[in-house]
Amino acid sequence: MRTILVANPKGGSGKTTLATNIAGWLAGKRQRVGLHDSDPQRSATQWLARRPALFPSIAGFRIDAGRKEMKEVGLEWLVVDSAAGLRGDALRDALRRADAVVVPVPASSFDMAATADFLAAVADSKPIREGSTLVGLVAMRVDARTRAAGELDAFLEAAAFPLVTHLRDTQVYVYCARDGLSVFDLPRSRGEQDWVQWRPLTRWLARLSR
Ligand SMILES: Nc1ncnc2c1ncn2[C@@H]1O[C@H](COP(=O)(O)OP(=O)(O)OP(=O)(O)O)[C@@H](O)[C@H]1O
Ligand SMILES: [Mg+2]
């Protein structure tokens, strides 16, 4: 079982959006995937409860689910949606279990300061120093016309981890969240623009399956 942790201690940075869409992508590829909602706010659990039965299935795990329970199901992938404020021992444990960490970074300078501290803590952790865990950054809610988008790029290009992709600011994610869907569940006419933006990230994650 390969574990993908989605983390950024900043509230509202896009963790649940990334986690649910990564799970949706894997499910669409006919992979056995679980979504571990480790946030007491339960947004990922609620998304899964809204997911129409006809769409590729994703196994849901509550915050208190044990590693053993999740392994017994025979999953190929586990996507962990973490809570805001993840740091200290909880962060260390989550990093130790992860094969890859995806960090959403929204375009606002306030978020960048919090993210810089978080990335420093991640870089300093043992599994990352030893190179056994991949870390990738995703620029979130990007409106290419804005100054904030340029500032975000400058910040992310100077970071210690690769900038894997940019995801645009679009209501498509809001509608998908409401309906229990990922962008990969949409018809081509509605999803294609976002699939193109996701491709570098799905390629990057696919490295874990080799
Ligand atoms: N690319 C995007 N375009 C438009 N809206 C987005 C995008 N990404 C996320 N959102 C919206 O931003 C809000 C916050 O996103 P999300 O819930 O994924 O953040 P979070 O990091 O999980 O928050 P929390 O820390 O509270 O768990 C949600 O309403 C979500 O639908
Ligand atoms: Mg969330």
PDB file of all heavy atoms in Angstrom, residues 8 10-18 39 41 43 81-84 104 140-142 167-171 173-174 177, ligand 1:
ATOM      1  N   ASN A   8      -0.803  20.756   4.812  1.00  0.00           N
ATOM      2  CA  ASN A   8      -0.348  22.137   4.978  1.00  0.00           C
ATOM      3  C   ASN A   8      -1.078  22.609   6.234  1.00  0.00           C
ATOM      4  O   ASN A   8      -2.310  22.493   6.300  1.00  0.00           O
ATOM      5  CB  ASN A   8      -0.737  22.995   3.764  1.00  0.00           C
ATOM      6  CG  ASN A   8      -0.217  24.425   3.899  1.00  0.00           C
ATOM      7  OD1 ASN A   8      -0.072  24.944   5.007  1.00  0.00           O
ATOM      8  ND2 ASN A   8       0.061  25.070   2.785  1.00  0.00           N
ATOM      9  N   LYS A  10      -1.914  25.316   7.292  1.00  0.00           N
ATOM     10  CA  LYS A  10      -2.794  26.470   7.098  1.00  0.00           C
ATOM     11  C   LYS A  10      -4.202  26.002   6.738  1.00  0.00           C
ATOM     12  O   LYS A  10      -4.374  25.217   5.798  1.00  0.00           O
ATOM     13  CB  LYS A  10      -2.198  27.300   5.955  1.00  0.00           C
ATOM     14  CG  LYS A  10      -2.912  28.570   5.699  1.00  0.00           C
ATOM     15  CD  LYS A  10      -2.408  29.676   6.614  1.00  0.00           C
ATOM     16  CE  LYS A  10      -3.201  30.954   6.372  1.00  0.00           C
ATOM     17  NZ  LYS A  10      -4.511  30.979   7.004  1.00  0.00           N
ATOM     18  N   GLY A  11      -5.198  26.489   7.469  1.00  0.00           N
ATOM     19  CA  GLY A  11      -6.591  26.151   7.182  1.00  0.00           C
ATOM     20  C   GLY A  11      -7.004  26.670   5.815  1.00  0.00           C
ATOM     21  O   GLY A  11      -6.576  27.756   5.403  1.00  0.00           O
ATOM     22  N   GLY A  12      -7.796  25.896   5.117  1.00  0.00           N
ATOM     23  CA  GLY A  12      -8.349  26.344   3.839  1.00  0.00           C
ATOM     24  C   GLY A  12      -7.360  26.414   2.701  1.00  0.00           C
ATOM     25  O   GLY A  12      -7.613  27.056   1.679  1.00  0.00           O
ATOM     26  N   SER A  13      -6.218  25.755   2.829  1.00  0.00           N
ATOM     27  CA  SER A  13      -5.200  25.865   1.764  1.00  0.00           C
ATOM     28  C   SER A  13      -5.498  24.966   0.564  1.00  0.00           C
ATOM     29  O   SER A  13      -4.888  25.141  -0.493  1.00  0.00           O
ATOM     30  CB  SER A  13      -3.805  25.559   2.338  1.00  0.00           C
ATOM     31  OG  SER A  13      -3.804  24.349   3.047  1.00  0.00           O
ATOM     32  N   GLY A  14      -6.413  24.019   0.727  1.00  0.00           N
ATOM     33  CA  GLY A  14      -6.779  23.156  -0.410  1.00  0.00           C
ATOM     34  C   GLY A  14      -6.478  21.678  -0.193  1.00  0.00           C
ATOM     35  O   GLY A  14      -6.473  20.898  -1.146  1.00  0.00           O
ATOM     36  N   LYS A  15      -6.243  21.293   1.052  1.00  0.00           N
ATOM     37  CA  LYS A  15      -5.897  19.884   1.353  1.00  0.00           C
ATOM     38  C   LYS A  15      -7.004  18.910   0.942  1.00  0.00           C
ATOM     39  O   LYS A  15      -6.746  17.922   0.257  1.00  0.00           O
ATOM     40  CB  LYS A  15      -5.636  19.713   2.864  1.00  0.00           C
ATOM     41  CG  LYS A  15      -4.448  20.495   3.367  1.00  0.00           C
ATOM     42  CD  LYS A  15      -4.280  20.350   4.871  1.00  0.00           C
ATOM     43  CE  LYS A  15      -5.297  21.109   5.692  1.00  0.00           C
ATOM     44  NZ  LYS A  15      -5.246  22.579   5.591  1.00  0.00           N
ATOM     45  N   THR A  16      -8.230  19.192   1.398  1.00  0.00           N
ATOM     46  CA  THR A  16      -9.318  18.250   1.106  1.00  0.00           C
ATOM     47  C   THR A  16      -9.598  18.206  -0.399  1.00  0.00           C
ATOM     48  O   THR A  16      -9.884  17.143  -0.958  1.00  0.00           O
ATOM     49  CB  THR A  16     -10.584  18.634   1.906  1.00  0.00           C
ATOM     50  OG1 THR A  16     -10.229  18.642   3.295  1.00  0.00           O
ATOM     51  CG2 THR A  16     -11.703  17.648   1.694  1.00  0.00           C
ATOM     52  N   THR A  17      -9.467  19.353  -1.048  1.00  0.00           N
ATOM     53  CA  THR A  17      -9.663  19.391  -2.506  1.00  0.00           C
ATOM     54  C   THR A  17      -8.646  18.494  -3.201  1.00  0.00           C
ATOM     55  O   THR A  17      -8.998  17.696  -4.076  1.00  0.00           O
ATOM     56  CB  THR A  17      -9.545  20.855  -3.001  1.00  0.00           C
ATOM     57  OG1 THR A  17     -10.519  21.634  -2.304  1.00  0.00           O
ATOM     58  CG2 THR A  17      -9.754  20.968  -4.498  1.00  0.00           C
ATOM     59  N   LEU A  18      -7.382  18.610  -2.800  1.00  0.00           N
ATOM     60  CA  LEU A  18      -6.359  17.755  -3.421  1.00  0.00           C
ATOM     61  C   LEU A  18      -6.573  16.288  -3.054  1.00  0.00           C
ATOM     62  O   LEU A  18      -6.503  15.410  -3.923  1.00  0.00           O
ATOM     63  CB  LEU A  18      -4.961  18.186  -2.973  1.00  0.00           C
ATOM     64  CG  LEU A  18      -4.333  19.362  -3.696  1.00  0.00           C
ATOM     65  CD1 LEU A  18      -2.920  19.590  -3.182  1.00  0.00           C
ATOM     66  CD2 LEU A  18      -4.295  19.131  -5.198  1.00  0.00           C
ATOM     67  N   ASP A  39      -8.959  14.522   9.707  1.00  0.00           N
ATOM     68  CA  ASP A  39      -9.366  15.852  10.155  1.00  0.00           C
ATOM     69  C   ASP A  39     -10.687  15.740  10.926  1.00  0.00           C
ATOM     70  O   ASP A  39     -11.669  15.230  10.382  1.00  0.00           O
ATOM     71  CB  ASP A  39      -9.565  16.739   8.915  1.00  0.00           C
ATOM     72  CG  ASP A  39      -9.931  18.165   9.273  1.00  0.00           C
ATOM     73  OD1 ASP A  39     -10.202  18.446  10.462  1.00  0.00           O
ATOM     74  OD2 ASP A  39      -9.958  19.004   8.358  1.00  0.00           O
ATOM     75  N   GLN A  41     -12.834  17.792  11.366  1.00  0.00           N
ATOM     76  CA  GLN A  41     -13.925  18.502  10.665  1.00  0.00           C
ATOM     77  C   GLN A  41     -14.686  17.579   9.710  1.00  0.00           C
ATOM     78  O   GLN A  41     -15.761  17.918   9.238  1.00  0.00           O
ATOM     79  CB  GLN A  41     -13.355  19.659   9.840  1.00  0.00           C
ATOM     80  CG  GLN A  41     -12.937  20.844  10.652  1.00  0.00           C
ATOM     81  CD  GLN A  41     -12.625  22.018   9.727  1.00  0.00           C
ATOM     82  OE1 GLN A  41     -13.478  22.853   9.449  1.00  0.00           O
ATOM     83  NE2 GLN A  41     -11.407  22.068   9.219  1.00  0.00           N
ATOM     84  N   SER A  43     -14.473  16.751   6.551  1.00  0.00           N
ATOM     85  CA  SER A  43     -14.887  17.187   5.201  1.00  0.00           C
ATOM     86  C   SER A  43     -14.742  16.071   4.175  1.00  0.00           C
ATOM     87  O   SER A  43     -15.598  15.921   3.296  1.00  0.00           O
ATOM     88  CB  SER A  43     -14.046  18.374   4.737  1.00  0.00           C
ATOM     89  OG  SER A  43     -13.905  19.301   5.750  1.00  0.00           O
ATOM     90  N   ASP A  81      -6.051  12.804   4.117  1.00  0.00           N
ATOM     91  CA  ASP A  81      -6.408  14.226   4.182  1.00  0.00           C
ATOM     92  C   ASP A  81      -6.144  14.683   5.615  1.00  0.00           C
ATOM     93  O   ASP A  81      -6.829  14.252   6.538  1.00  0.00           O
ATOM     94  CB  ASP A  81      -7.886  14.406   3.824  1.00  0.00           C
ATOM     95  CG  ASP A  81      -8.301  15.871   3.861  1.00  0.00           C
ATOM     96  OD1 ASP A  81      -7.420  16.747   3.713  1.00  0.00           O
ATOM     97  OD2 ASP A  81      -9.501  16.143   4.048  1.00  0.00           O
ATOM     98  N   SER A  82      -5.144  15.528   5.810  1.00  0.00           N
ATOM     99  CA  SER A  82      -4.777  15.907   7.174  1.00  0.00           C
ATOM    100  C   SER A  82      -5.510  17.181   7.595  1.00  0.00           C
ATOM    101  O   SER A  82      -6.056  17.919   6.777  1.00  0.00           O
ATOM    102  CB  SER A  82      -3.264  16.066   7.290  1.00  0.00           C
ATOM    103  OG  SER A  82      -2.817  17.102   6.454  1.00  0.00           O
ATOM    104  N   ALA A  83      -5.481  17.409   8.911  1.00  0.00           N
ATOM    105  CA  ALA A  83      -6.176  18.572   9.474  1.00  0.00           C
ATOM    106  C   ALA A  83      -5.269  19.799   9.434  1.00  0.00           C
ATOM    107  O   ALA A  83      -4.044  19.685   9.380  1.00  0.00           O
ATOM    108  CB  ALA A  83      -6.559  18.269  10.916  1.00  0.00           C
ATOM    109  N   ALA A  84      -5.893  20.970   9.498  1.00  0.00           N
ATOM    110  CA  ALA A  84      -5.126  22.205   9.677  1.00  0.00           C
ATOM    111  C   ALA A  84      -4.363  22.091  11.000  1.00  0.00           C
ATOM    112  O   ALA A  84      -4.806  21.393  11.918  1.00  0.00           O
ATOM    113  CB  ALA A  84      -6.079  23.392   9.690  1.00  0.00           C
ATOM    114  N   PRO A 104      -0.472  21.678  -0.791  1.00  0.00           N
ATOM    115  CA  PRO A 104      -1.132  22.750  -1.548  1.00  0.00           C
ATOM    116  C   PRO A 104      -0.695  24.104  -1.005  1.00  0.00           C
ATOM    117  O   PRO A 104      -0.645  24.309   0.208  1.00  0.00           O
ATOM    118  CB  PRO A 104      -2.621  22.515  -1.248  1.00  0.00           C
ATOM    119  CG  PRO A 104      -2.654  21.842   0.090  1.00  0.00           C
ATOM    120  CD  PRO A 104      -1.358  21.055   0.216  1.00  0.00           C
ATOM    121  N   MET A 140      -2.056  26.510  -5.679  1.00  0.00           N
ATOM    122  CA  MET A 140      -3.504  26.287  -5.599  1.00  0.00           C
ATOM    123  C   MET A 140      -4.272  27.564  -5.861  1.00  0.00           C
ATOM    124  O   MET A 140      -3.864  28.639  -5.410  1.00  0.00           O
ATOM    125  CB  MET A 140      -3.748  25.812  -4.172  1.00  0.00           C
ATOM    126  CG  MET A 140      -4.743  24.747  -3.911  1.00  0.00           C
ATOM    127  SD  MET A 140      -4.863  23.480  -5.127  1.00  0.00           S
ATOM    128  CE  MET A 140      -6.341  22.709  -4.575  1.00  0.00           C
ATOM    129  N   ARG A 141      -5.383  27.452  -6.556  1.00  0.00           N
ATOM    130  CA  ARG A 141      -6.293  28.577  -6.806  1.00  0.00           C
ATOM    131  C   ARG A 141      -5.573  29.704  -7.530  1.00  0.00           C
ATOM    132  O   ARG A 141      -5.641  30.869  -7.120  1.00  0.00           O
ATOM    133  CB  ARG A 141      -6.873  29.102  -5.498  1.00  0.00           C
ATOM    134  CG  ARG A 141      -7.527  28.029  -4.673  1.00  0.00           C
ATOM    135  CD  ARG A 141      -8.333  28.612  -3.563  1.00  0.00           C
ATOM    136  NE  ARG A 141      -9.457  29.339  -4.099  1.00  0.00           N
ATOM    137  CZ  ARG A 141     -10.576  29.559  -3.441  1.00  0.00           C
ATOM    138  NH1 ARG A 141     -10.713  29.111  -2.220  1.00  0.00           N
ATOM    139  NH2 ARG A 141     -11.556  30.224  -3.984  1.00  0.00           N
ATOM    140  N   VAL A 142      -4.878  29.322  -8.592  1.00  0.00           N
ATOM    141  CA  VAL A 142      -4.055  30.298  -9.288  1.00  0.00           C
ATOM    142  C   VAL A 142      -4.877  31.037 -10.344  1.00  0.00           C
ATOM    143  O   VAL A 142      -5.511  30.425 -11.191  1.00  0.00           O
ATOM    144  CB  VAL A 142      -2.853  29.592  -9.963  1.00  0.00           C
ATOM    145  CG1 VAL A 142      -2.051  30.590 -10.784  1.00  0.00           C
ATOM    146  CG2 VAL A 142      -1.985  28.918  -8.913  1.00  0.00           C
ATOM    147  N   LEU A 167      -2.922  24.635 -10.124  1.00  0.00           N
ATOM    148  CA  LEU A 167      -4.342  24.392 -10.371  1.00  0.00           C
ATOM    149  C   LEU A 167      -5.063  25.730 -10.331  1.00  0.00           C
ATOM    150  O   LEU A 167      -4.840  26.538  -9.423  1.00  0.00           O
ATOM    151  CB  LEU A 167      -4.921  23.427  -9.324  1.00  0.00           C
ATOM    152  CG  LEU A 167      -4.270  22.035  -9.287  1.00  0.00           C
ATOM    153  CD1 LEU A 167      -4.942  21.163  -8.233  1.00  0.00           C
ATOM    154  CD2 LEU A 167      -4.304  21.339 -10.649  1.00  0.00           C
ATOM    155  N   ARG A 168      -5.881  25.957 -11.326  1.00  0.00           N
ATOM    156  CA  ARG A 168      -6.533  27.271 -11.451  1.00  0.00           C
ATOM    157  C   ARG A 168      -7.628  27.454 -10.399  1.00  0.00           C
ATOM    158  O   ARG A 168      -8.109  26.483  -9.809  1.00  0.00           O
ATOM    159  CB  ARG A 168      -7.106  27.431 -12.862  1.00  0.00           C
ATOM    160  CG  ARG A 168      -8.263  26.502 -13.138  1.00  0.00           C
ATOM    161  CD  ARG A 168      -8.722  26.575 -14.579  1.00  0.00           C
ATOM    162  NE  ARG A 168      -9.789  25.589 -14.778  1.00  0.00           N
ATOM    163  CZ  ARG A 168     -10.982  25.877 -15.282  1.00  0.00           C
ATOM    164  NH1 ARG A 168     -11.259  27.099 -15.683  1.00  0.00           N
ATOM    165  NH2 ARG A 168     -11.898  24.933 -15.427  1.00  0.00           N
ATOM    166  N   ASP A 169      -7.995  28.707 -10.224  1.00  0.00           N
ATOM    167  CA  ASP A 169      -9.096  29.052  -9.330  1.00  0.00           C
ATOM    168  C   ASP A 169     -10.381  28.894 -10.134  1.00  0.00           C
ATOM    169  O   ASP A 169     -10.624  29.649 -11.068  1.00  0.00           O
ATOM    170  CB  ASP A 169      -8.905  30.507  -8.886  1.00  0.00           C
ATOM    171  CG  ASP A 169      -9.878  30.918  -7.801  1.00  0.00           C
ATOM    172  OD1 ASP A 169     -10.699  30.077  -7.385  1.00  0.00           O
ATOM    173  OD2 ASP A 169      -9.814  32.078  -7.384  1.00  0.00           O
ATOM    174  N   THR A 170     -11.162  27.878  -9.812  1.00  0.00           N
ATOM    175  CA  THR A 170     -12.385  27.651 -10.583  1.00  0.00           C
ATOM    176  C   THR A 170     -13.475  27.014  -9.717  1.00  0.00           C
ATOM    177  O   THR A 170     -13.187  26.198  -8.839  1.00  0.00           O
ATOM    178  CB  THR A 170     -12.126  26.746 -11.807  1.00  0.00           C
ATOM    179  OG1 THR A 170     -13.392  26.318 -12.343  1.00  0.00           O
ATOM    180  CG2 THR A 170     -11.334  25.494 -11.472  1.00  0.00           C
ATOM    181  N   GLN A 171     -14.701  27.395 -10.045  1.00  0.00           N
ATOM    182  CA  GLN A 171     -15.853  26.843  -9.315  1.00  0.00           C
ATOM    183  C   GLN A 171     -16.021  25.344  -9.571  1.00  0.00           C
ATOM    184  O   GLN A 171     -16.767  24.676  -8.862  1.00  0.00           O
ATOM    185  CB  GLN A 171     -17.134  27.592  -9.728  1.00  0.00           C
ATOM    186  CG  GLN A 171     -17.190  29.022  -9.225  1.00  0.00           C
ATOM    187  CD  GLN A 171     -17.124  29.085  -7.715  1.00  0.00           C
ATOM    188  OE1 GLN A 171     -17.998  28.584  -7.027  1.00  0.00           O
ATOM    189  NE2 GLN A 171     -16.080  29.684  -7.175  1.00  0.00           N
ATOM    190  N   TYR A 173     -14.055  23.040  -8.838  1.00  0.00           N
ATOM    191  CA  TYR A 173     -13.673  22.322  -7.603  1.00  0.00           C
ATOM    192  C   TYR A 173     -14.753  22.445  -6.534  1.00  0.00           C
ATOM    193  O   TYR A 173     -14.978  21.530  -5.762  1.00  0.00           O
ATOM    194  CB  TYR A 173     -12.330  22.829  -7.076  1.00  0.00           C
ATOM    195  CG  TYR A 173     -11.191  22.415  -7.973  1.00  0.00           C
ATOM    196  CD1 TYR A 173     -10.574  23.324  -8.826  1.00  0.00           C
ATOM    197  CD2 TYR A 173     -10.756  21.086  -8.004  1.00  0.00           C
ATOM    198  CE1 TYR A 173      -9.555  22.939  -9.675  1.00  0.00           C
ATOM    199  CE2 TYR A 173      -9.737  20.685  -8.863  1.00  0.00           C
ATOM    200  CZ  TYR A 173      -9.150  21.618  -9.693  1.00  0.00           C
ATOM    201  OH  TYR A 173      -8.151  21.212 -10.536  1.00  0.00           O
ATOM    202  N   VAL A 174     -15.398  23.595  -6.512  1.00  0.00           N
ATOM    203  CA  VAL A 174     -16.444  23.822  -5.518  1.00  0.00           C
ATOM    204  C   VAL A 174     -17.652  22.919  -5.828  1.00  0.00           C
ATOM    205  O   VAL A 174     -18.202  22.270  -4.936  1.00  0.00           O
ATOM    206  CB  VAL A 174     -16.841  25.324  -5.499  1.00  0.00           C
ATOM    207  CG1 VAL A 174     -17.950  25.581  -4.489  1.00  0.00           C
ATOM    208  CG2 VAL A 174     -15.609  26.191  -5.205  1.00  0.00           C
ATOM    209  N   ALA A 177     -16.774  19.316  -5.017  1.00  0.00           N
ATOM    210  CA  ALA A 177     -16.804  19.100  -3.562  1.00  0.00           C
ATOM    211  C   ALA A 177     -18.244  18.895  -3.099  1.00  0.00           C
ATOM    212  O   ALA A 177     -18.547  18.004  -2.307  1.00  0.00           O
ATOM    213  CB  ALA A 177     -16.169  20.291  -2.848  1.00  0.00           C
TER     214      ALA A 177
HETATM  215  N1  LIG B   1      -8.531  25.446  -7.179  1.00  0.00           N
HETATM  216  C1  LIG B   1      -9.606  25.894  -6.533  1.00  0.00           C
HETATM  217  N2  LIG B   1     -10.473  26.740  -7.113  1.00  0.00           N
HETATM  218  C2  LIG B   1     -11.552  27.208  -6.441  1.00  0.00           C
HETATM  219  N3  LIG B   1     -11.863  26.883  -5.192  1.00  0.00           N
HETATM  220  C3  LIG B   1     -11.036  26.039  -4.554  1.00  0.00           C
HETATM  221  C4  LIG B   1      -9.876  25.499  -5.175  1.00  0.00           C
HETATM  222  N4  LIG B   1      -9.254  24.695  -4.273  1.00  0.00           N
HETATM  223  C5  LIG B   1      -9.979  24.735  -3.160  1.00  0.00           C
HETATM  224  N5  LIG B   1     -11.061  25.526  -3.309  1.00  0.00           N
HETATM  225  C6  LIG B   1     -12.090  25.834  -2.305  1.00  0.00           C
HETATM  226  O1  LIG B   1     -11.453  26.449  -1.210  1.00  0.00           O
HETATM  227  C7  LIG B   1     -12.038  26.039   0.013  1.00  0.00           C
HETATM  228  C8  LIG B   1     -10.946  25.452   0.910  1.00  0.00           C
HETATM  229  O2  LIG B   1     -10.431  24.288   0.290  1.00  0.00           O
HETATM  230  P1  LIG B   1     -10.232  22.937   1.099  1.00  0.00           P
HETATM  231  O3  LIG B   1     -11.433  22.602   1.906  1.00  0.00           O
HETATM  232  O4  LIG B   1      -9.751  21.925   0.136  1.00  0.00           O
HETATM  233  O5  LIG B   1      -9.053  23.375   2.078  1.00  0.00           O
HETATM  234  P2  LIG B   1      -8.465  22.592   3.330  1.00  0.00           P
HETATM  235  O6  LIG B   1      -7.001  22.885   3.361  1.00  0.00           O
HETATM  236  O7  LIG B   1      -8.882  21.172   3.301  1.00  0.00           O
HETATM  237  O8  LIG B   1      -9.199  23.323   4.539  1.00  0.00           O
HETATM  238  P3  LIG B   1      -9.145  22.863   6.092  1.00  0.00           P
HETATM  239  O9  LIG B   1      -7.795  23.326   6.591  1.00  0.00           O
HETATM  240  O10 LIG B   1     -10.290  23.625   6.700  1.00  0.00           O
HETATM  241  O11 LIG B   1      -9.296  21.380   6.122  1.00  0.00           O
HETATM  242  C9  LIG B   1     -13.114  25.034  -0.364  1.00  0.00           C
HETATM  243  O12 LIG B   1     -14.350  25.696  -0.398  1.00  0.00           O
HETATM  244  C10 LIG B   1     -12.727  24.582  -1.756  1.00  0.00           C
HETATM  245  O13 LIG B   1     -13.844  24.151  -2.522  1.00  0.00           O
END
